[in-house]
Amino acid sequence: MNHFRSCKLLLLLLLLWSPWAAAQTTLAERNTELLHQIEEVHHLTPAQMEKIRAIFAGSRIIGQGNPAITQHPATPEQCAAKLHQQGVVYANPRFERICGAKYMAPLYD
């Protein structure tokens, strides 16, 4: 009887662990894609990317939400199309001159 209870407990733990483990794999995959996008958009150096990867590696939750429960209401392509349709532009030539890169904003003391 004790062996049967141990098996039930083990099965329960495995069932609880599986979605979490699957979500972690998916989170890692999503973070890989996110880091690639950050590198491409901001033209970061390998040294800069290594620092960002270290930040991500130090957290088991950093990213774009828990993939097991997060549902984005639109794809990135749909978001871009809607922004274009509404005339929303994030480019700021003045900030680009100051910062030397797109999508950056100067910070002042």
Side-chain angles (χ1 to χ4, degrees):
M1 185 69 168
N2 194 18
H3 178 68
F4 181 70
R5 288 180 71 195
S6 296
C7 287
K8 283 175 50 176
L9 179 59
L10 180 62
L11 180 60
L12 178 61
L13 289 173
L14 286 173
L15 288 173
L16 292 174
W17 174 261
S18 292
W20 185 84
Q24 294 308 304
T25 301
T26 305
L27 180 61
E29 292 169 358
R30 286 186 179 189
N31 283 350
T32 298
E33 178 62 26
L34 175 62
L35 290 168
H36 176 72
Q37 290 172 351
I38 290 170
E39 183 176 19
E40 290 292 312
V41 169
H42 294 287
H43 307 287
L44 300 177
T45 67
Q48 291 169 319
M49 285 308 300
E50 192 57 39
K51 289 178 182 179
I52 294 172
R53 284 188 183 92
I55 293 168
F56 273 68
S59 171
R60 63 180 181 84
I61 59 171
I62 195 170
Q64 295 182 316
N66 180 349
I69 59 172
T70 301
Q71 294 183 358
H72 294 284
T75 67
E77 294 79 18
Q78 290 169 325
C79 289
K82 187 172 182 178
L83 290 172
H84 179 73
Q85 177 188 20
Q86 294 178 348
V88 176
V89 178
Y90 291 113
N92 186 319
R94 182 172 162 259
F95 287 179
E96 288 177 31
R97 278 193 310 277
I98 294 169
C99 300
K102 284 186 160 198
Y103 311 116
M104 300 296 211
L107 301 176
Y108 303 100
D109 285 337

